[in-house]
Amino acid sequence: MSSPDPRALPAPAASRRGRTRELLDTPRSFAAWTLAHGLQRALIQRGARKGDLISRMVMDPSLRADPFAAYEELRGRGVISANGLISASVDHAVCNEVLRNDAFGTAGGQGELPKPLQWLHHKVIDPDTLGPVDPPSMLAVDPPLHTRYRKQVARAFTARKVGRMGDRVEDVAAALLDDIAAAGADDFDLIDRYASQLPVTVIADLLGVPERDRGRLLELGNEAAITLDPGLTWPQFRQAERALREMHTWFRGHVESLIANPGDDLISQLVLLDGDDRLDPVELHQVGLLVLAAGFETTVNLIGNAVALLDRHPDQLQWLLAHPDGWGNAVDEVLRHQSPVQLTLRIALRDTEVAGKHFAPGHGILLYLGGANRDPAVFTDPDDFDVTRDNADAHLAFSAGVHYCLGASLARLEAAVALRALYERFGDLHVSGTPERRPTRVLRGYERLPVRASVTSREAVNSG
């Protein structure tokens, strides 16, 4: 009898041993939730009940669904607002300055907590449930650790390597559209059938993920993505924690397989590092899983947001069909107008000043990238969607400074190729039902986007 493949994902239903461990781990998990989310949630809820705008922007579901009026209300209060607990800004100049200023950072994850509570959180959290905002994730560490991790991953995202991936992205897009056409149905969910499948295939190739595991990893990544949001409920936290545990279990087996049979993928390269460059198991998990999740999260949202915008602006779509060299700028306009990442948090690492406001060490500022990208001081008629906008690329959708998104060029490439190929194949594609937005606050995208198109085979298109 052959031994099981260590990379194979476990069944979604937990084993008896897994259930027992989960029960034993509940006090530890509850402590981790209390420190990272529970205390924060109670304070935010109290602020929201008192009418505080910053608190309402976090807790009010209606403002999560459509935050732009709240962004403008915040803008009207000045370039930086504060509520006694935290500051916030939708000002492009302020956001850009803070992101690039080494006086601010992530402060090691949960940096908004007092140091003793931050230390306690790092002690109680289970390494097998570490998420994207927990160190040593690159999202949660500052230089020099961040510099060390980024150096190892950057080799996979050089301009030359991304440029060479263009043909592969086009092949994946064509194959997915062929599958949609072969199914023969005029109605389909764009997210499920196309927007999610293209980036997960590309990033899985980059990381050496077996094809059989990609669908489940996509599901798990979607479940874990909510950990980016502040103030999660206990059930939300537990659901995300289970997804993270399953991802870590899979990744451990994947690494064992690559140690035995390394390939030319990024994870194999990281596994084979030695000397001072070598990553310990926890670092390897956090770096690898972050690249995997970030590699499809932003691009899925970007493609879905683009299709929804173009459906509401058919004149813009017609212009793009007549000017296919404009897709790159159109992608930047989507990133600006409907930023896939709406906000990020920075903590003052030392006494500093921004826009005349003093920041003491440990004070946090919420940077609303989705609001900064509609700053009228930078973008003319910022609420208008204009694929010909001459400074569309001045957005902060990929952050700035040391935490600028490593995969930005790949995301732009994937989105431009995916959208051009989609509309060249299905020129009459349009939204046919009620889209469902994701329930996340930090990530802005669609859970479901029903579309309709006259589905024909590629052969028929080519013969026409």
Side-chain angles (χ1 to χ4, degrees):
M1 180 181 295
S2 61
S3 59
D5 188 327
R7 297 174 299 183
L9 284 166
S15 65
R16 181 176 299 174
R17 179 183 299 176
R19 288 194 298 270
T20 301
R21 179 182 179 184
E22 187 171 327
L23 288 172
L24 293 173
D25 277 351
T26 298
R28 184 178 186 179
S29 295
F30 189 78
W33 169 77
T34 300
L35 292 166
H37 295 280
L39 294 173
Q40 183 184 65
R41 182 176 178 82
L43 291 172
I44 298 171
Q45 284 180 319
R46 186 175 68 178
R49 285 194 297 269
K50 293 181 177 180
D52 172 60
L53 177 59
I54 298 173
S55 300
R56 287 176 48 232
M57 288 169 70
V58 175
M59 299 304 300
D60 188 337
S62 66
L63 295 185
R64 288 201 300 269
D66 186 5
F68 300 105
Y71 291 163
E72 293 314 303
E73 184 177 348
L74 194 67
R75 195 186 314 281
R77 300 185 178 188
V79 296
I80 298 176
S81 297
N83 64 4
L85 294 173
I86 200 166
S87 296
S89 180
V90 294
D91 185 82
H92 188 283
V94 166
C95 291
N96 192 39
E97 180 180 348
V98 171
L99 290 170
R100 296 176 183 275
N101 190 340
D102 63 7
F104 291 87
T106 62
Q110 282 74 49
E112 68 277 14
L113 289 174
K115 286 294 183 182
L117 295 184
Q118 187 182 16
W119 175 86
L120 183 58
H121 177 264
H122 294 339
K123 288 295 184 183
V124 300
I125 193 168
D126 184 345
D128 281 346
T129 62
L130 291 173
V133 294
D134 298 311
S137 163
M138 283 190 289
L139 292 183
V141 295
D142 299 313
L145 265 182
H146 179 271
T147 306
R148 175 173 172 250
Y149 301 149
R150 190 178 178 98
K151 170 188 170 186
Q152 308 307 339
V153 178
R155 66 189 70 197
F157 295 97
T158 64
R160 179 176 297 179
K161 287 192 175 182
V162 170
R164 288 203 300 260
M165 295 176 72
D167 289 344
R168 173 58 176 156
V169 176
E170 290 182 358
D171 288 344
V172 172
L176 290 171
L177 294 172
D178 284 345
D179 289 343
I180 292 170
D186 291 336
D187 295 279
F188 59 95
D189 177 10
L190 184 95
I191 304 301
D192 178 58
R193 298 292 301 279
Y194 190 65
S196 64
Q197 297 302 320
L198 186 145
V200 80
T201 299
V202 173
I203 199 65
D205 285 351
L206 190 68
L207 300 181
V209 177
E211 187 172 352
R212 65 177 177 276
D213 292 342
R214 297 174 183 181
R216 182 58 182 157
L217 283 173
L218 179 61
E219 293 174 3
L220 293 173
N222 286 336
E223 291 175 14
I226 200 169
T227 58
L228 293 169
D229 281 8
L232 298 184
T233 65
W234 169 240
Q236 287 174 322
F237 179 83
R238 286 297 276 165
Q239 181 178 358
E241 189 182 57
R242 283 189 286 269
L244 287 166
R245 191 182 299 280
E246 190 171 339
M247 292 180 77
H248 279 278
T249 299
W250 171 83
F251 194 80
R252 186 176 297 108
H254 185 51
V255 168
E256 291 173 1
S257 177
L258 293 178
I259 290 173
N261 298 287
D264 59 0
D265 57 274
L266 174 60
I267 301 302
S268 290
Q269 294 173 31
L270 296 178
V271 166
L272 296 175
L273 292 173
D274 55 19
D276 293 339
D277 289 337
R278 187 172 182 83
L279 303 178
D280 67 33
V282 175
E283 291 174 325
L284 184 60
H285 274 225
Q286 285 297 82
V287 170
L289 288 176
L290 176 64
V291 174
L292 175 63
F296 61 79
E297 281 291 350
T298 298
T299 314
V300 173
N301 296 334
L302 173 53
I303 295 171
N305 290 344
V307 170
L309 279 169
L310 290 170
D311 184 73
R312 297 198 297 270
H313 299 84
D315 57 322
Q316 306 267 321
L317 174 58
Q318 292 305 311
W319 187 90
L320 286 166
L321 292 175
H323 303 86
D325 59 344
W327 280 110
N329 197 70
V331 166
D332 273 314
E333 178 65 351
V334 175
L335 287 163
R336 183 199 70 81
H337 193 275
Q338 294 285 329
S339 308
V341 178
Q342 285 285 301
L343 71 146
T344 190
L345 172 69
R346 290 294 182 269
I347 307 294
L349 304 178
R350 59 179 183 268
D351 280 303
T352 191
E353 187 175 291
V354 176
K357 304 286 187 180
H358 174 256
F359 284 81
H363 188 77
I365 179 168
L366 289 167
L367 306 175
Y368 284 96
L369 307 179
N373 290 337
R374 295 198 184 193
D375 189 336
V378 179
F379 305 101
T380 303
D381 299 321
D383 291 334
D384 291 349
F385 176 66
D386 180 4
V387 298
T388 65
R389 186 181 296 274
D390 59 6
N391 69 336
D393 62 354
H395 63 76
L396 298 173
F398 289 121
S399 189
V402 297
H403 284 278
Y404 181 78
C405 178
L406 260 175
S409 57
L410 178 59
R412 282 187 171 102
L413 171 68
E414 289 177 317
V417 170
L419 292 167
R420 187 184 69 243
L422 176 68
Y423 285 106
E424 285 179 352
R425 179 71 70 89
F426 305 135
D428 65 343
L429 183 139
H430 60 278
V431 176
S432 58
T434 303
E436 296 176 14
R437 281 214 173 268
R438 301 182 68 173
T440 49
R441 177 67 187 88
V442 172
L443 299 177
R444 183 168 178 80
Y446 289 96
E447 192 85 25
R448 182 173 174 273
L449 186 58
V451 296
R452 176 173 296 172
S454 299
V455 175
T456 56
S457 68
R458 178 160 43 170
E459 290 73 16
V461 172
N462 290 338
S463 65

